[in-house]
Amino acid sequence: MRTAYLLTGNQADAEDLLQTALAKVYLSWDRVRDQGALEAYARTVLARTHVSVWRRAATRRERPTADVPDRFVAGPDEGVLEDRDLVFRGLATLGPRQRAVVVLRYYEGLTEPEIAAVLGCSVGTVKSQLHRGLARLRERIPLPKNVTPNPGQPNEVTQ
């Protein structure tokens, strides 16, 4: 469910995507040769179902609203939840393919060839989408005050 939510950015769409993917997995259950790979198979079905949904122009829809959603109320874990909210909002600004690549790489921990196999595209496409998606996230998500950007190196936290 979490992966579906990260792919869609919306609870209702995530539930629909997960239900559709699980129905597809159920229908092909007997054809899966390696029963140990069911989790990977289900993840592949989930990602490909998501890709096929956003490829269809008829399913592309906007949801206009007159009211701004309620804002987050700070609690004891304010920093963690605030960071998570920033990441979710940043993911929502990405296109569906970039979002799928970023989620599969950094949330699911898949390698670039594995992502290419899941999405049915080339490794080069995965690399370019990942590069563009991360660049867009860096533009939209500000670094915390205690993190110093260091090009080519992981972010370091200053004390």
Side-chain angles (χ1 to χ4, degrees):
M1 181 63 186
R2 289 182 296 217
T3 301
Y5 180 79
L6 290 172
L7 288 171
T8 62
N10 176 311
Q11 183 73 25
D13 290 341
E15 290 170 358
D16 291 343
L17 174 62
L18 182 61
Q19 182 176 359
T20 302
L22 288 176
K24 289 180 178 183
V25 169
Y26 176 76
L27 292 173
S28 60
W29 192 266
D30 295 335
R31 293 183 301 222
V32 177
R33 292 185 198 130
D34 182 8
Q35 295 295 314
L38 284 173
E39 183 179 340
Y41 179 75
R43 185 184 314 112
T44 299
V45 170
L46 184 72
R48 287 188 178 175
T49 300
H50 173 65
V51 168
S52 70
V53 165
W54 59 258
R55 277 187 181 155
R56 281 185 257 141
T59 61
R60 294 182 187 164
R61 59 193 183 278
E62 293 182 18
R63 295 189 181 106
T65 179
D67 300 326
V68 177
D70 293 336
R71 299 291 298 163
F72 168 73
V73 177
D77 294 329
E78 173 184 344
V80 173
L81 293 175
E82 194 173 282
D83 291 345
R84 185 180 302 158
D85 184 52
L86 277 174
V87 172
F88 284 150
R89 284 191 279 148
L91 283 172
T93 66
L94 299 179
R97 180 171 259 181
Q98 288 176 355
R99 184 182 319 138
V101 170
V102 170
V103 167
L104 291 174
R105 177 70 180 111
Y106 294 103
Y107 179 75
E108 291 292 331
L110 299 181
T111 64
E112 290 167 349
E114 290 171 335
I115 295 169
V118 167
L119 296 178
C121 62
S122 70
V123 175
T125 300
V126 170
K127 288 180 179 183
S128 67
Q129 293 297 315
L130 186 59
H131 175 76
R132 290 181 188 132
L134 290 177
R136 184 177 247 173
L137 285 175
R138 285 184 188 109
E139 291 171 0
R140 289 175 165 70
I141 299 175
L143 284 174
K145 293 177 183 175
N146 65 340
V147 175
T148 57
N150 188 359
Q153 298 292 322
N155 289 333
E156 297 178 11
V157 177
T158 57
Q159 297 298 329

